[in-house]
Amino acid sequence: MTLALSIDRKRLDAELQKLATISDCPEPPPAVTRIVFTPTDLRGRTYLESLYREAGLEVRVDPIGNTFARWVGSEPHLPAIGTGSHTDAIPHAGLYDGTVGVLGGLEAIRALQRSGFQPRRSIELVMFTSEEPTRFGIGCSGSRAMAGAIDSTHLAGLLDDQGETYDNIRKRAGFMGELKDIRLHQDYYHAWVELHIEQGPELERENIDIGIVKAIAAPASLVFTLQGEGGHAGAVLMPVRRDTLCAAAEMISLIEAIAKQSPSPDLVATVGTIQVYPGAVNSIPSRTLFTLDIRDIDATNRDRLIREIFEQSKSIADRRRIELTIATKNSDPPAIAGQFVMDAIADACLQSGYRSKVMISRAYHDSLFMARLAPISMIFIPCRGGFSHRPDEYSSPEQIAKGVDILARTLAKLAG
Ligand code: HGY
Ligand code: MN
Ligand code: MN
């Protein structure tokens, strides 16, 4: 079945640009900041829901704001086909990360509607409540809860950087209901596919239109807390110091060295945040906290390196008479794609004549958890220089339109 599809790239680009103006970033678009459950996040959701309704989709919102916009199929009792992504954005992000999967997913549905296609299985567009770890230190809280990958009590008790709980914040944002009702049953979806910018350089470098994702890396994040002794920067001599920032610096260099020596080339380790107390020019840091984000497609290798980092950090702490605690925020397995979903994407690329390649995703996505509910894959499009999580993140309207075209054809094939 070769569908005659037309993707309205002008309208889609205008919607992406409009969403980008709903931002807390001090800089204007293309820089974007949109943190979960903030008033700005809620304004973004209102805008998106108006678009879902305009397309005639049935909209429901779950107790933490995961939003489902359903195009009911001719056999509505069948497990649906799911697509979607996130619209929360880390501070000073770009405007394409996640939004291409939500607004592009909507345009794919509209293009299928315009073509006269009628799905047998319902097609459901999902906007996950929070994919980024910015506010609560853990990514994909929405899809984790949908997949039963986080215990409701643990979710409710997650704290933001002001020490307020997830549960209080979501209720204050107007999301009510029992957290236990978020979980989707195992045959809710027949298949799941997410459209996303690659957030890496491969597709652009190899001049390829579409990436077909076969696996998503296994992410883990940990918090290192070092407790030493503070004091006057002038009065305390070097031999007696228990300086936590110097200890942290040694541990961070160690982490980099261990990651660089990893036998698996896919292992990446990042210390992205550090807090120093009391944080005064002339005061010895008595307490230092830093976060470690460490990932690999091979979770066994990742976990082995984490154990090595633990051991060597502990001996640094002992030598420096520092108390060290390491808390694991999350440690997730990788996701492996479903072959029939990948085949549907590959068929769509053949239909449209677009060059494609099978690849892994080094970034994690909500699809990592949707893989626990149904067979998944992802459709990647190139992004300039592979940049992401930066205001100069960019995919052209043409590249986005190709991704939307492939998504639409894939959805049609899976829902047909
Ligand atoms: O960090 C990630 O991989 C995702 O972009 N949140
Ligand atoms: Mn991101
Ligand atoms: Mn993303």
Side-chain angles (χ1 to χ4, degrees):
M1 160 192 62
T2 305
L3 285 165
L5 288 179
S6 74
I7 306 302
D8 188 342
R9 63 176 73 174
K10 242 168 115 250
R11 175 177 183 182
L12 176 53
D13 190 52
E15 290 169 347
L16 285 165
Q17 301 302 333
K18 162 90 177 134
L19 183 57
T21 64
I22 304 175
S23 163
D24 283 323
C25 192
E27 296 158 42
V32 178
T33 301
R34 195 163 42 243
I35 307 300
V36 66
F37 298 142
T38 57
T40 301
D41 174 29
L42 301 182
R43 281 193 298 120
R45 293 162 184 266
T46 306
Y47 169 60
L48 289 164
E49 283 175 32
S50 69
L51 298 180
Y52 305 151
R53 290 199 167 84
E54 212 178 290
L57 305 181
E58 284 182 10
V59 180
R60 80 176 173 89
V61 181
D62 81 3
I64 55 173
N66 289 310
T67 305
F68 305 81
R70 180 169 280 224
W71 181 12
V72 180
S74 56
E75 298 181 43
H77 58 286
L78 289 176
I81 304 301
T83 188
S85 194
H86 64 100
T87 59
D88 61 320
I90 68 170
H92 294 277
L95 69 90
Y96 299 92
D97 173 7
T99 56
V100 161
V102 176
L103 286 166
L106 178 60
E107 178 54 22
I109 289 172
R110 290 185 305 218
L112 287 170
Q113 290 171 336
R114 289 193 296 266
S115 76
F117 172 80
Q118 174 54 42
R120 202 163 59 84
R121 295 176 182 278
S122 299
I123 295 175
E124 188 162 74
L125 175 67
V126 179
M127 190 216 76
F128 296 98
T129 207
S130 167
E131 190 268 354
E132 298 294 2
T134 312
R135 187 161 189 181
F136 296 98
I138 185 169
C140 302
S141 62
S143 50
R144 283 176 194 274
M146 287 159 66
I150 187 167
D151 164 80
S152 297
T153 316
H154 179 195
L155 177 68
L158 289 176
L159 298 176
D160 77 348
D161 48 11
Q162 307 300 315
E164 195 177 359
T165 65
Y166 192 104
D167 204 38
N168 280 355
I169 294 169
R170 62 112 181 180
K171 285 176 180 161
R172 204 151 37 78
F175 300 111
M176 301 301 174
E178 296 293 316
L179 297 184
K180 64 175 179 44
D181 296 339
I182 300 167
R183 179 130 189 217
L184 301 180
H185 50 81
Q186 262 333 94
D187 58 1
Y188 184 90
Y189 287 124
H190 173 66
W192 167 271
V193 56
E194 178 175 1
L195 171 63
H196 206 286
I197 57 172
E198 179 197 343
Q199 297 178 305
E202 281 181 56
L203 293 175
E204 182 186 61
R205 193 176 52 213
E206 297 170 32
N207 191 22
I208 290 179
D209 300 308
I210 298 290
I212 304 173
V213 172
K214 66 175 180 181
I216 302 173
S221 56
L222 304 100
V223 178
F224 286 59
T225 305
L226 291 80
Q227 185 62 49
E229 190 169 9
H232 191 292
V236 182
L237 299 182
M238 297 311 283
V240 297
R241 288 191 178 198
R242 294 170 57 216
D243 182 327
T244 57
L245 185 50
C246 290
E250 198 177 340
M251 289 176 196
I252 294 166
S253 305
L254 162 82
I255 287 167
E256 184 191 38
I258 289 176
K260 283 185 170 175
Q261 289 147 24
S262 161
S264 152
D266 298 318
L267 187 286
V268 284
T270 312
V271 174
T273 67
I274 190 162
Q275 291 151 22
V276 180
Y277 297 89
V281 169
N282 54 355
S283 177
I284 300 166
S286 56
R287 190 157 57 92
T288 298
L289 285 91
F290 65 83
T291 55
L292 170 60
D293 173 316
I294 181 167
R295 322 174 181 201
D296 196 340
I297 284 290
D298 175 351
T300 314
N301 181 59
R302 177 198 68 189
D303 294 346
R304 194 170 48 73
L305 293 193
I306 287 175
R307 281 194 298 277
E308 198 180 328
I309 289 168
F310 270 35
E311 280 155 29
Q312 295 202 33
S313 298
K314 191 84 187 62
S315 58
I316 292 170
D318 292 347
R319 174 164 41 83
R320 288 172 170 266
R321 297 179 297 117
I322 298 283
E323 286 129 55
L324 170 65
T325 49
I326 304 174
T328 300
K329 296 289 280 189
N330 67 285
S331 174
D332 305 297
I336 308 302
Q339 191 57 51
F340 78 91
V341 187
M342 291 174 66
D343 292 347
I345 299 169
D347 288 351
C349 292
L350 284 175
Q351 263 183 46
S352 296
Y354 296 152
R355 295 185 61 208
S356 67
K357 72 172 275 190
V358 172
M359 60 196 293
I360 60 171
S361 173
R362 301 182 189 286
Y364 61 73
H365 302 279
D366 291 300
S367 296
L368 180 69
F369 297 97
M370 298 313 281
R372 304 192 191 187
L373 288 169
I376 65 128
S377 183
M378 293 185 73
I379 297 167
F380 275 175
I381 57 171
C383 52
R384 186 174 53 200
F387 305 145
S388 183
H389 284 188
R390 316 178 1 175
D392 56 350
E393 173 185 281
Y394 179 76
S395 281
S396 70
E398 193 207 1
Q399 288 167 329
I400 295 170
K402 286 183 179 177
V404 173
D405 173 271
I406 296 304
L407 176 62
R409 294 179 191 283
T410 304
L411 293 174
K413 171 109 178 176
L414 295 169

